[in-house]
Amino acid sequence: MGIYEELVERGLIAQVTNEEEIRTMINEGKATFYIGFDPTADSLHVGHFMALCLMKRLQMAGNRPIALLGGGTGMVGDPSGRTDMRQMMTTETINHNIECFKKQMSRFIEFGEGKAMMVNNADWLTNLNYIEFLREVGPHFSVNNMLRAECYKQRMEKGLSFLEFNYMIMQSYDFLELYERYGCNMQFGGDDQWSNMLGGTELIRRKLGKDAHAMTITLLLNSEGKKMGKTQSGAVWLDPNKTSPYEFYQYWRNVADADVLKCIRMLTFLPLEEIDAMDAWEGSQLNRAKEILAYELTKLVHGEEEAKKADEAAKALFAGGGKSENVPATEYEREVLAAGKDILSLLVETKLSASRSEARRLVQQGGVSVNDVKVTAIDRIFTLEDLDGDGTLLIKKGKKGYHQIRVK
């Protein structure tokens, strides 16, 4: 089985522009491909992680990845899948986020001479002459076709700014630049990016002739990843300071029964034969499958040692609500706890809740306990006297969300 067939078998490929040629190029390791990452935050998240796994698979098969950092497109903002306009970022914020991305990507992709490349589209987009750009690229785009694109449909009802309307043209121009500068002959992206990607492929052919070999592939992966990358408390980040290894582990440990095998197939590097054998698993076996998924992905992102710690902590808590040093913890000064902390503040400050209103609902619905005692009042205050024999408070949210409170 070639790498292309494996991607299909894992459920990663949604649609392609020329399957036979793409299959040959990928299987023979002749693809120089790119995936774009707009620096909208100071950490990559689960949705990006899925794309990085794909890049890693293709690099292992001899293909050359280009990680395109959107220093230029990030100043405009992708309207795909959004009902509102993205908040405008300063150049300083964008550059800071890019530096954070670079460090995290290097854990997955091997960069260097003759290996993967990391490129910033600000290198060409920010220096464009507006009139020259319009004359060079504008004639190759039909406004009628652009307005029919899926990436704009949601925004047309509430209003699409002219700034965002340019995003498709900028993304298409990226592919042309990468093709001419680095011989990039293929682009990957989520199925919500299909219109933008087709624009790039068509631009290359119009500018350079029909024989220009520019290929487009969309993934089932990315659009699902964007949904999966969100929880009720916010995004699931790859930065351990934003989402701890334990929380990352727990996120995957708690996926729905219907999704666990699909996630194992798409995201882990376990052999397909081993995954196929899991297809018949049910009941308690699915819990084992979730543990495998959580362990494998935590190992990929945070390393094997952190994966083992997260696995141990999860099992210790599940076995009887016992404490574990590997469970996320927040330390307070003794004077702070002596004065008292209300339950809503504790939930928000430990990031078990995204806001006080969400925390209030959790308590009112009976979803919060402290040291195995359910909290029923939203104004409940905890002090030093509430610490258990180990000098801690163990807050439990729902069935599987844990956080420890300790005194410094």
Side-chain angles (χ1 to χ4, degrees):
M1 181 186 295
I3 183 61
Y4 181 83
E5 287 75 20
E6 181 178 344
L7 296 180
V8 172
E9 185 71 17
R10 289 182 180 273
L12 300 179
I13 305 297
Q15 50 188 334
V16 300
T17 53
N18 187 327
E19 185 171 43
E20 194 55 44
E21 192 165 2
I22 287 172
R23 175 189 287 110
T24 299
M25 290 176 67
I26 289 177
N27 284 346
E28 294 181 359
K30 295 179 179 178
T32 298
F33 67 96
Y34 93 90
I35 298 180
F37 301 83
D38 274 353
T40 54
D42 59 1
S43 172
L44 297 164
H45 55 65
V46 165
H48 296 127
F49 164 62
M50 296 181 172
L52 291 169
C53 285
L54 174 77
M55 297 176 82
K56 184 178 178 72
R57 292 184 201 279
L58 290 169
Q59 184 176 44
M60 291 168 63
N63 299 284
R64 191 181 191 191
I66 298 177
L68 180 64
L69 301 172
T73 45
M75 299 185 73
V76 173
D78 184 3
S80 301
R82 295 185 64 89
T83 58
D84 60 343
M85 183 174 172
R86 292 182 186 273
Q87 184 176 354
M88 299 280 283
M89 295 186 294
T90 65
T91 302
E92 291 74 20
T93 297
I94 290 173
N95 290 337
H96 170 73
N97 293 348
I98 283 175
E99 290 305 310
C100 294
F101 278 24
K102 286 180 179 179
K103 293 176 183 177
Q104 293 177 344
M105 285 180 176
S106 297
R107 288 187 60 89
F108 298 88
I109 314 301
E110 192 174 357
F111 294 97
E113 187 68 30
K115 299 175 183 176
M117 300 177 62
M118 194 177 291
V119 179
N120 187 341
N121 63 16
D123 292 347
W124 54 84
L125 290 178
T126 56
N127 295 322
L128 287 173
N129 177 289
Y130 185 60
I131 298 298
E132 291 179 3
F133 179 70
L134 286 179
R135 287 175 62 86
E136 181 182 358
V137 177
H140 303 295
F141 286 84
S142 162
V143 172
N144 291 345
N145 289 339
M146 292 174 70
L147 291 174
R148 285 193 291 268
E150 192 66 36
C151 59
Y152 291 144
K153 283 183 178 178
Q154 273 188 294
R155 296 302 307 280
M156 291 301 293
E157 295 180 4
K158 293 192 175 183
L160 176 72
S161 72
F162 182 71
L163 176 71
E164 297 168 293
F165 187 62
N166 282 269
Y167 191 91
M168 179 189 292
I169 300 177
M170 295 172 70
Q171 182 172 331
S172 300
Y173 189 74
D174 281 345
F175 196 13
L176 175 64
E177 284 285 335
L178 291 170
Y179 183 92
E180 293 185 311
R181 290 178 181 228
Y182 309 111
C184 180
N185 50 28
M186 199 174 295
Q187 59 180 332
F188 284 73
D191 54 9
D192 58 341
Q193 294 289 311
W194 182 243
S195 298
N196 293 354
M197 295 167 65
L198 286 179
T201 297
E202 186 61 23
L203 177 61
I204 290 175
R205 290 175 179 167
R206 284 175 176 266
K207 289 280 293 177
L208 305 179
K210 293 183 179 179
D211 293 334
H213 286 74
M215 301 296 171
T216 300
I217 295 183
T218 70
L219 311 177
L220 183 62
L221 185 59
N222 278 0
S223 59
E224 291 197 353
K226 289 176 182 177
K227 298 173 187 174
M228 293 174 66
K230 298 283 187 178
T231 69
Q232 289 183 342
S233 298
V236 179
W237 305 102
L238 305 194
D239 184 342
N241 295 315
K242 295 170 76 73
T243 299
S244 72
Y246 171 79
E247 291 167 325
F248 188 85
Y249 178 99
Q250 283 296 95
Y251 171 74
W252 296 107
R253 176 63 181 81
N254 293 331
V255 300
D257 289 357
D259 293 331
V260 58
L261 292 179
K262 179 171 66 175
C263 290
I264 289 177
R265 192 174 295 276
M266 283 184 166
L267 302 176
T268 74
F269 286 77
L270 295 176
L272 283 170
E273 300 78 16
E274 184 176 336
I275 300 172
D276 289 340
M278 299 180 189
D279 283 339
W281 287 13
E282 56 186 21
S284 60
Q285 289 178 307
L286 289 179
N287 287 327
R288 175 58 186 149
K290 293 178 184 180
E291 291 175 352
I292 292 172
L293 172 68
Y295 182 84
E296 291 295 324
L297 298 191
T298 306
K299 181 172 70 172
L300 271 173
V301 174
H302 298 294
E304 188 165 15
E305 183 178 350
E306 292 297 335
K308 288 180 178 178
K309 289 180 181 178
D311 183 64
E312 180 276 326
K315 288 177 178 175
L317 291 168
F318 182 76
K323 305 271 193 333
S324 170
E325 62 180 12
N326 297 317
V327 173
T330 298
E331 293 187 339
Y332 287 97
E333 298 288 349
R334 177 169 292 274
E335 309 85 75
V336 173
L337 282 181
K341 272 282 184 181
D342 66 276
I343 186 60
L344 301 188
S345 295
L346 288 174
L347 288 169
V348 173
E349 290 169 12
T350 58
K351 298 182 181 179
L352 287 172
S353 295
S355 65
R356 290 183 68 88
S357 58
E358 179 186 299
R360 185 180 295 108
R361 286 193 298 273
L362 277 170
V363 173
Q364 292 172 336
Q365 293 168 4
V368 176
S369 64
V370 176
N371 287 349
D372 292 329
V373 178
K374 183 171 290 188
V375 179
T376 57
I378 61 173
D379 58 353
R380 173 72 160 89
I381 303 293
F382 290 89
T383 67
L384 292 172
E385 295 180 359
D386 294 296
L387 299 178
D388 67 6
D390 296 327
T392 62
L393 294 174
L394 181 64
I395 304 176
K396 182 179 180 183
K397 168 191 167 183
K399 293 182 178 180
K400 299 173 182 176
Y402 290 91
H403 200 100
Q404 293 183 93
I405 302 296
R406 299 174 183 160
V407 177
K408 286 186 179 180

PDB file of all heavy atoms in Angstrom, residues 132-156:
ATOM      1  N   GLU A 132      -0.114  47.176  -9.351  1.00  0.00           N
ATOM      2  CA  GLU A 132       0.531  46.079 -10.087  1.00  0.00           C
ATOM      3  C   GLU A 132      -0.111  44.737  -9.760  1.00  0.00           C
ATOM      4  O   GLU A 132      -0.294  43.888 -10.638  1.00  0.00           O
ATOM      5  CB  GLU A 132       2.024  46.057  -9.784  1.00  0.00           C
ATOM      6  CG  GLU A 132       2.799  47.234 -10.351  1.00  0.00           C
ATOM      7  CD  GLU A 132       4.272  47.167 -10.007  1.00  0.00           C
ATOM      8  OE1 GLU A 132       4.681  46.173  -9.366  1.00  0.00           O
ATOM      9  OE2 GLU A 132       4.999  48.102 -10.354  1.00  0.00           O
ATOM     10  N   PHE A 133      -0.428  44.551  -8.487  1.00  0.00           N
ATOM     11  CA  PHE A 133      -1.054  43.294  -8.068  1.00  0.00           C
ATOM     12  C   PHE A 133      -2.413  43.121  -8.733  1.00  0.00           C
ATOM     13  O   PHE A 133      -2.751  42.041  -9.232  1.00  0.00           O
ATOM     14  CB  PHE A 133      -1.193  43.283  -6.542  1.00  0.00           C
ATOM     15  CG  PHE A 133      -1.852  42.051  -5.993  1.00  0.00           C
ATOM     16  CD1 PHE A 133      -1.214  40.823  -6.025  1.00  0.00           C
ATOM     17  CD2 PHE A 133      -3.122  42.118  -5.427  1.00  0.00           C
ATOM     18  CE1 PHE A 133      -1.811  39.680  -5.513  1.00  0.00           C
ATOM     19  CE2 PHE A 133      -3.737  40.987  -4.918  1.00  0.00           C
ATOM     20  CZ  PHE A 133      -3.071  39.768  -4.964  1.00  0.00           C
ATOM     21  N   LEU A 134      -3.219  44.188  -8.748  1.00  0.00           N
ATOM     22  CA  LEU A 134      -4.529  44.119  -9.397  1.00  0.00           C
ATOM     23  C   LEU A 134      -4.390  43.768 -10.875  1.00  0.00           C
ATOM     24  O   LEU A 134      -5.155  42.956 -11.411  1.00  0.00           O
ATOM     25  CB  LEU A 134      -5.268  45.446  -9.239  1.00  0.00           C
ATOM     26  CG  LEU A 134      -5.839  45.773  -7.860  1.00  0.00           C
ATOM     27  CD1 LEU A 134      -6.517  47.143  -7.897  1.00  0.00           C
ATOM     28  CD2 LEU A 134      -6.821  44.715  -7.400  1.00  0.00           C
ATOM     29  N   ARG A 135      -3.433  44.376 -11.538  1.00  0.00           N
ATOM     30  CA  ARG A 135      -3.253  44.130 -12.969  1.00  0.00           C
ATOM     31  C   ARG A 135      -2.736  42.724 -13.240  1.00  0.00           C
ATOM     32  O   ARG A 135      -3.098  42.097 -14.228  1.00  0.00           O
ATOM     33  CB  ARG A 135      -2.292  45.162 -13.563  1.00  0.00           C
ATOM     34  CG  ARG A 135      -2.898  46.558 -13.708  1.00  0.00           C
ATOM     35  CD  ARG A 135      -1.853  47.559 -14.178  1.00  0.00           C
ATOM     36  NE  ARG A 135      -1.323  47.202 -15.488  1.00  0.00           N
ATOM     37  CZ  ARG A 135      -1.875  47.554 -16.657  1.00  0.00           C
ATOM     38  NH1 ARG A 135      -2.997  48.261 -16.661  1.00  0.00           N
ATOM     39  NH2 ARG A 135      -1.332  47.198 -17.801  1.00  0.00           N
ATOM     40  N   GLU A 136      -1.891  42.221 -12.339  1.00  0.00           N
ATOM     41  CA  GLU A 136      -1.304  40.904 -12.555  1.00  0.00           C
ATOM     42  C   GLU A 136      -2.250  39.763 -12.211  1.00  0.00           C
ATOM     43  O   GLU A 136      -2.329  38.759 -12.928  1.00  0.00           O
ATOM     44  CB  GLU A 136      -0.021  40.768 -11.722  1.00  0.00           C
ATOM     45  CG  GLU A 136       0.674  39.426 -11.897  1.00  0.00           C
ATOM     46  CD  GLU A 136       1.908  39.277 -11.041  1.00  0.00           C
ATOM     47  OE1 GLU A 136       2.255  40.236 -10.324  1.00  0.00           O
ATOM     48  OE2 GLU A 136       2.524  38.194 -11.080  1.00  0.00           O
ATOM     49  N   VAL A 137      -2.978  39.916 -11.108  1.00  0.00           N
ATOM     50  CA  VAL A 137      -3.790  38.813 -10.590  1.00  0.00           C
ATOM     51  C   VAL A 137      -5.288  39.020 -10.828  1.00  0.00           C
ATOM     52  O   VAL A 137      -6.027  38.070 -11.126  1.00  0.00           O
ATOM     53  CB  VAL A 137      -3.526  38.616  -9.081  1.00  0.00           C
ATOM     54  CG1 VAL A 137      -4.404  37.521  -8.513  1.00  0.00           C
ATOM     55  CG2 VAL A 137      -2.056  38.309  -8.841  1.00  0.00           C
ATOM     56  N   GLY A 138      -5.771  40.259 -10.704  1.00  0.00           N
ATOM     57  CA  GLY A 138      -7.195  40.549 -10.799  1.00  0.00           C
ATOM     58  C   GLY A 138      -7.907  39.994 -12.008  1.00  0.00           C
ATOM     59  O   GLY A 138      -9.017  39.436 -11.887  1.00  0.00           O
ATOM     60  N   PRO A 139      -7.333  40.079 -13.214  1.00  0.00           N
ATOM     61  CA  PRO A 139      -8.034  39.587 -14.407  1.00  0.00           C
ATOM     62  C   PRO A 139      -8.333  38.094 -14.400  1.00  0.00           C
ATOM     63  O   PRO A 139      -9.172  37.629 -15.169  1.00  0.00           O
ATOM     64  CB  PRO A 139      -7.063  39.948 -15.556  1.00  0.00           C
ATOM     65  CG  PRO A 139      -6.255  41.082 -15.027  1.00  0.00           C
ATOM     66  CD  PRO A 139      -6.087  40.795 -13.573  1.00  0.00           C
ATOM     67  N   HIS A 140      -7.661  37.347 -13.551  1.00  0.00           N
ATOM     68  CA  HIS A 140      -7.831  35.896 -13.532  1.00  0.00           C
ATOM     69  C   HIS A 140      -8.924  35.431 -12.556  1.00  0.00           C
ATOM     70  O   HIS A 140      -9.135  34.226 -12.378  1.00  0.00           O
ATOM     71  CB  HIS A 140      -6.507  35.219 -13.173  1.00  0.00           C
ATOM     72  CG  HIS A 140      -5.390  35.570 -14.089  1.00  0.00           C
ATOM     73  ND1 HIS A 140      -5.377  35.225 -15.431  1.00  0.00           N
ATOM     74  CD2 HIS A 140      -4.248  36.283 -13.878  1.00  0.00           C
ATOM     75  CE1 HIS A 140      -4.265  35.670 -15.994  1.00  0.00           C
ATOM     76  NE2 HIS A 140      -3.568  36.322 -15.064  1.00  0.00           N
ATOM     77  N   PHE A 141      -9.622  36.376 -11.909  1.00  0.00           N
ATOM     78  CA  PHE A 141     -10.654  36.035 -10.946  1.00  0.00           C
ATOM     79  C   PHE A 141     -11.989  36.659 -11.337  1.00  0.00           C
ATOM     80  O   PHE A 141     -12.062  37.860 -11.602  1.00  0.00           O
ATOM     81  CB  PHE A 141     -10.265  36.495  -9.534  1.00  0.00           C
ATOM     82  CG  PHE A 141      -9.194  35.653  -8.903  1.00  0.00           C
ATOM     83  CD1 PHE A 141      -7.851  35.894  -9.179  1.00  0.00           C
ATOM     84  CD2 PHE A 141      -9.532  34.605  -8.060  1.00  0.00           C
ATOM     85  CE1 PHE A 141      -6.864  35.114  -8.623  1.00  0.00           C
ATOM     86  CE2 PHE A 141      -8.540  33.815  -7.492  1.00  0.00           C
ATOM     87  CZ  PHE A 141      -7.207  34.071  -7.778  1.00  0.00           C
ATOM     88  N   SER A 142     -13.021  35.832 -11.364  1.00  0.00           N
ATOM     89  CA  SER A 142     -14.380  36.300 -11.635  1.00  0.00           C
ATOM     90  C   SER A 142     -15.070  36.610 -10.308  1.00  0.00           C
ATOM     91  O   SER A 142     -15.157  35.741  -9.425  1.00  0.00           O
ATOM     92  CB  SER A 142     -15.167  35.226 -12.392  1.00  0.00           C
ATOM     93  OG  SER A 142     -16.558  35.465 -12.306  1.00  0.00           O
ATOM     94  N   VAL A 143     -15.548  37.840 -10.160  1.00  0.00           N
ATOM     95  CA  VAL A 143     -16.260  38.209  -8.939  1.00  0.00           C
ATOM     96  C   VAL A 143     -17.504  37.346  -8.761  1.00  0.00           C
ATOM     97  O   VAL A 143     -17.848  36.932  -7.644  1.00  0.00           O
ATOM     98  CB  VAL A 143     -16.633  39.710  -8.954  1.00  0.00           C
ATOM     99  CG1 VAL A 143     -17.547  40.051  -7.783  1.00  0.00           C
ATOM    100  CG2 VAL A 143     -15.381  40.564  -8.906  1.00  0.00           C
ATOM    101  N   ASN A 144     -18.194  37.040  -9.852  1.00  0.00           N
ATOM    102  CA  ASN A 144     -19.394  36.191  -9.775  1.00  0.00           C
ATOM    103  C   ASN A 144     -19.058  34.827  -9.176  1.00  0.00           C
ATOM    104  O   ASN A 144     -19.782  34.313  -8.320  1.00  0.00           O
ATOM    105  CB  ASN A 144     -20.001  36.015 -11.165  1.00  0.00           C
ATOM    106  CG  ASN A 144     -20.612  37.287 -11.698  1.00  0.00           C
ATOM    107  OD1 ASN A 144     -20.831  38.227 -10.939  1.00  0.00           O
ATOM    108  ND2 ASN A 144     -20.897  37.333 -12.984  1.00  0.00           N
ATOM    109  N   ASN A 145     -17.959  34.234  -9.651  1.00  0.00           N
ATOM    110  CA  ASN A 145     -17.547  32.931  -9.116  1.00  0.00           C
ATOM    111  C   ASN A 145     -17.123  33.039  -7.659  1.00  0.00           C
ATOM    112  O   ASN A 145     -17.413  32.158  -6.842  1.00  0.00           O
ATOM    113  CB  ASN A 145     -16.399  32.357  -9.946  1.00  0.00           C
ATOM    114  CG  ASN A 145     -16.840  31.912 -11.327  1.00  0.00           C
ATOM    115  OD1 ASN A 145     -18.035  31.661 -11.554  1.00  0.00           O
ATOM    116  ND2 ASN A 145     -15.900  31.830 -12.254  1.00  0.00           N
ATOM    117  N   MET A 146     -16.429  34.097  -7.306  1.00  0.00           N
ATOM    118  CA  MET A 146     -15.987  34.283  -5.933  1.00  0.00           C
ATOM    119  C   MET A 146     -17.171  34.388  -4.982  1.00  0.00           C
ATOM    120  O   MET A 146     -17.166  33.825  -3.883  1.00  0.00           O
ATOM    121  CB  MET A 146     -15.106  35.527  -5.819  1.00  0.00           C
ATOM    122  CG  MET A 146     -13.764  35.390  -6.532  1.00  0.00           C
ATOM    123  SD  MET A 146     -12.809  36.937  -6.519  1.00  0.00           S
ATOM    124  CE  MET A 146     -12.372  37.044  -4.781  1.00  0.00           C
ATOM    125  N   LEU A 147     -18.217  35.091  -5.404  1.00  0.00           N
ATOM    126  CA  LEU A 147     -19.385  35.262  -4.539  1.00  0.00           C
ATOM    127  C   LEU A 147     -20.147  33.958  -4.340  1.00  0.00           C
ATOM    128  O   LEU A 147     -20.892  33.814  -3.364  1.00  0.00           O
ATOM    129  CB  LEU A 147     -20.316  36.325  -5.123  1.00  0.00           C
ATOM    130  CG  LEU A 147     -19.779  37.758  -5.084  1.00  0.00           C
ATOM    131  CD1 LEU A 147     -20.723  38.699  -5.808  1.00  0.00           C
ATOM    132  CD2 LEU A 147     -19.573  38.215  -3.646  1.00  0.00           C
ATOM    133  N   ARG A 148     -19.944  33.016  -5.237  1.00  0.00           N
ATOM    134  CA  ARG A 148     -20.607  31.712  -5.086  1.00  0.00           C
ATOM    135  C   ARG A 148     -19.793  30.760  -4.218  1.00  0.00           C
ATOM    136  O   ARG A 148     -20.259  29.668  -3.878  1.00  0.00           O
ATOM    137  CB  ARG A 148     -20.836  31.074  -6.461  1.00  0.00           C
ATOM    138  CG  ARG A 148     -21.979  31.693  -7.253  1.00  0.00           C
ATOM    139  CD  ARG A 148     -22.350  30.818  -8.437  1.00  0.00           C
ATOM    140  NE  ARG A 148     -21.318  30.802  -9.455  1.00  0.00           N
ATOM    141  CZ  ARG A 148     -21.271  31.633 -10.499  1.00  0.00           C
ATOM    142  NH1 ARG A 148     -22.224  32.553 -10.639  1.00  0.00           N
ATOM    143  NH2 ARG A 148     -20.299  31.553 -11.385  1.00  0.00           N
ATOM    144  N   ALA A 149     -18.588  31.151  -3.874  1.00  0.00           N
ATOM    145  CA  ALA A 149     -17.693  30.276  -3.104  1.00  0.00           C
ATOM    146  C   ALA A 149     -18.258  30.001  -1.721  1.00  0.00           C
ATOM    147  O   ALA A 149     -18.808  30.885  -1.061  1.00  0.00           O
ATOM    148  CB  ALA A 149     -16.314  30.906  -2.996  1.00  0.00           C
ATOM    149  N   GLU A 150     -18.087  28.773  -1.261  1.00  0.00           N
ATOM    150  CA  GLU A 150     -18.616  28.354   0.041  1.00  0.00           C
ATOM    151  C   GLU A 150     -18.040  29.179   1.177  1.00  0.00           C
ATOM    152  O   GLU A 150     -18.720  29.475   2.167  1.00  0.00           O
ATOM    153  CB  GLU A 150     -18.298  26.869   0.256  1.00  0.00           C
ATOM    154  CG  GLU A 150     -19.034  26.231   1.412  1.00  0.00           C
ATOM    155  CD  GLU A 150     -20.542  26.176   1.177  1.00  0.00           C
ATOM    156  OE1 GLU A 150     -20.962  25.965   0.032  1.00  0.00           O
ATOM    157  OE2 GLU A 150     -21.290  26.367   2.163  1.00  0.00           O
ATOM    158  N   CYS A 151     -16.757  29.594   1.027  1.00  0.00           N
ATOM    159  CA  CYS A 151     -16.095  30.305   2.115  1.00  0.00           C
ATOM    160  C   CYS A 151     -16.711  31.680   2.373  1.00  0.00           C
ATOM    161  O   CYS A 151     -16.482  32.277   3.429  1.00  0.00           O
ATOM    162  CB  CYS A 151     -14.606  30.441   1.822  1.00  0.00           C
ATOM    163  SG  CYS A 151     -14.205  31.314   0.297  1.00  0.00           S
ATOM    164  N   TYR A 152     -17.493  32.211   1.413  1.00  0.00           N
ATOM    165  CA  TYR A 152     -18.095  33.531   1.588  1.00  0.00           C
ATOM    166  C   TYR A 152     -19.593  33.481   1.911  1.00  0.00           C
ATOM    167  O   TYR A 152     -20.168  34.479   2.332  1.00  0.00           O
ATOM    168  CB  TYR A 152     -17.915  34.372   0.318  1.00  0.00           C
ATOM    169  CG  TYR A 152     -16.495  34.782   0.034  1.00  0.00           C
ATOM    170  CD1 TYR A 152     -16.017  34.844  -1.267  1.00  0.00           C
ATOM    171  CD2 TYR A 152     -15.617  35.127   1.062  1.00  0.00           C
ATOM    172  CE1 TYR A 152     -14.714  35.236  -1.546  1.00  0.00           C
ATOM    173  CE2 TYR A 152     -14.313  35.508   0.792  1.00  0.00           C
ATOM    174  CZ  TYR A 152     -13.864  35.554  -0.521  1.00  0.00           C
ATOM    175  OH  TYR A 152     -12.582  35.940  -0.775  1.00  0.00           O
ATOM    176  N   LYS A 153     -20.208  32.335   1.696  1.00  0.00           N
ATOM    177  CA  LYS A 153     -21.670  32.263   1.796  1.00  0.00           C
ATOM    178  C   LYS A 153     -22.195  32.684   3.158  1.00  0.00           C
ATOM    179  O   LYS A 153     -23.173  33.420   3.262  1.00  0.00           O
ATOM    180  CB  LYS A 153     -22.145  30.849   1.460  1.00  0.00           C
ATOM    181  CG  LYS A 153     -22.149  30.549  -0.037  1.00  0.00           C
ATOM    182  CD  LYS A 153     -22.703  29.166  -0.324  1.00  0.00           C
ATOM    183  CE  LYS A 153     -22.740  28.907  -1.819  1.00  0.00           C
ATOM    184  NZ  LYS A 153     -23.247  27.537  -2.124  1.00  0.00           N
ATOM    185  N   GLN A 154     -21.569  32.195   4.223  1.00  0.00           N
ATOM    186  CA  GLN A 154     -22.050  32.517   5.568  1.00  0.00           C
ATOM    187  C   GLN A 154     -21.965  34.009   5.853  1.00  0.00           C
ATOM    188  O   GLN A 154     -22.793  34.569   6.556  1.00  0.00           O
ATOM    189  CB  GLN A 154     -21.236  31.759   6.618  1.00  0.00           C
ATOM    190  CG  GLN A 154     -21.764  30.364   6.912  1.00  0.00           C
ATOM    191  CD  GLN A 154     -21.045  29.759   8.096  1.00  0.00           C
ATOM    192  OE1 GLN A 154     -19.854  29.487   8.053  1.00  0.00           O
ATOM    193  NE2 GLN A 154     -21.760  29.549   9.176  1.00  0.00           N
ATOM    194  N   ARG A 155     -20.949  34.646   5.285  1.00  0.00           N
ATOM    195  CA  ARG A 155     -20.727  36.046   5.585  1.00  0.00           C
ATOM    196  C   ARG A 155     -21.589  36.988   4.759  1.00  0.00           C
ATOM    197  O   ARG A 155     -21.779  38.150   5.130  1.00  0.00           O
ATOM    198  CB  ARG A 155     -19.252  36.392   5.357  1.00  0.00           C
ATOM    199  CG  ARG A 155     -18.304  35.668   6.271  1.00  0.00           C
ATOM    200  CD  ARG A 155     -18.616  35.951   7.732  1.00  0.00           C
ATOM    201  NE  ARG A 155     -18.678  37.370   7.988  1.00  0.00           N
ATOM    202  CZ  ARG A 155     -17.620  38.131   8.155  1.00  0.00           C
ATOM    203  NH1 ARG A 155     -16.418  37.594   8.113  1.00  0.00           N
ATOM    204  NH2 ARG A 155     -17.759  39.417   8.378  1.00  0.00           N
ATOM    205  N   MET A 156     -22.105  36.515   3.628  1.00  0.00           N
ATOM    206  CA  MET A 156     -22.856  37.397   2.741  1.00  0.00           C
ATOM    207  C   MET A 156     -24.128  37.915   3.405  1.00  0.00           C
ATOM    208  O   MET A 156     -24.559  39.042   3.173  1.00  0.00           O
ATOM    209  CB  MET A 156     -23.206  36.674   1.445  1.00  0.00           C
ATOM    210  CG  MET A 156     -22.004  36.396   0.554  1.00  0.00           C
ATOM    211  SD  MET A 156     -21.135  37.900   0.059  1.00  0.00           S
ATOM    212  CE  MET A 156     -22.380  38.670  -0.972  1.00  0.00           C
TER     213      MET A 156
END
